[in-house]
Amino acid sequence: MKLFHYLPVGVCAAAAALLLASCGVSKRSLKQSNRALTAALQASAQKEQAEALKLYSDTSIPQGEARKSVSRNNPGQTALEQTIIRWAIDSDPQGARVFYRVLSSIPAVVKNTNETYLMTTPYEETRAFNILGLTYENSRDVQIEIKVVKTGYEAQVKRFNVRQAIDQQEISSFFMLVPKE
């Protein structure tokens, strides 16, 4: 699509170069005009790209934080690591064991994890995400899976999108446990 956008300019430049060459203009002045045309095309492309980024920028991401990832090398250096999330998990009957794990659709960047035991229901805590490789930009591709298990009842699982949890500053759910037959 960009080719068609710049085609008339390219055609005009070629026609102008031919016209100037037929009039006896020197190679030096042709090179200068080609450089000027190239610079103008690059400036136009940069302006168009800047306008597109401005239109499609995500205003919910703090300035400069979109690509800063959580890492072991610089712990606590990103706004994402300092974001505190409220975790509230309850069940009926209470006393069910609560596990969580990270599920990622981009495992090369954010690794999937094994289940980690949290506590029994009712479970309430405020804590930050410590998911290595997580950025605001890729947080939409990562989920937290909460699993609730109690002897004599069916295990239940719910998944929460990490970006949504960050925006809401909460992961909360109620599990109505179903007895095994």
Side-chain angles (χ1 to χ4, degrees):
M1 185 159 187
K2 287 187 177 183
L3 175 67
F4 294 118
H5 180 72
Y6 296 118
L7 185 61
V9 174
V11 170
C12 291
L18 284 173
L19 180 65
L20 290 173
S22 66
C23 294
V25 176
S26 69
K27 287 184 181 181
R28 182 178 179 190
S29 61
L30 281 176
K31 284 182 183 179
Q32 288 175 345
S33 66
N34 283 343
R35 282 189 209 122
L37 179 63
T38 303
L41 287 174
Q42 287 174 345
S44 174
Q46 287 174 348
K47 181 180 175 188
E48 190 174 303
Q49 184 179 13
E51 288 173 1
L53 287 173
K54 192 170 138 183
L55 276 175
Y56 299 112
S57 65
D58 191 342
T59 57
S60 64
I61 297 174
Q63 186 70 29
E65 292 290 328
R67 291 187 175 90
K68 287 186 181 176
S69 68
V70 177
S71 73
R72 288 190 177 116
N73 300 335
N74 293 324
Q77 297 300 311
T78 67
L80 184 59
E81 290 171 287
Q82 297 165 9
T83 301
I84 303 298
I85 304 294
R86 177 179 174 263
W87 295 61
I89 310 296
D90 202 358
S91 67
D92 184 24
Q94 292 183 339
R97 290 175 285 160
V98 179
F99 298 87
Y100 87 97
R101 70 181 182 142
V102 175
L103 298 174
S104 171
S105 63
I106 48 170
V109 179
V110 178
K111 305 275 187 246
N112 294 318
T113 65
N114 295 327
E115 287 182 350
T116 302
Y117 174 72
L118 292 173
M119 206 171 129
T120 58
T121 57
Y123 170 72
E124 188 168 342
E125 183 179 23
T126 54
R127 56 187 273 187
F129 283 121
N130 290 322
I131 303 171
L132 297 179
L134 187 68
T135 65
Y136 278 102
E137 201 168 78
N138 69 19
S139 61
R140 288 184 177 96
D141 300 322
V142 181
Q143 294 181 339
I144 297 288
E145 180 181 87
I146 305 288
K147 183 177 181 180
V148 176
V149 179
K150 185 170 174 94
T151 306
Y153 294 88
E154 297 288 337
Q156 293 187 19
V157 175
K158 292 184 182 178
R159 292 184 179 171
F160 300 88
N161 182 281
V162 170
R163 181 56 189 272
Q164 186 175 2
I166 291 167
D167 291 344
Q168 295 175 352
Q169 297 183 344
E170 178 176 70
I171 291 180
S172 63
S173 188
F174 181 79
F175 292 83
M176 182 64 76
L177 299 179
V178 178
K180 286 184 180 177
E181 291 185 14

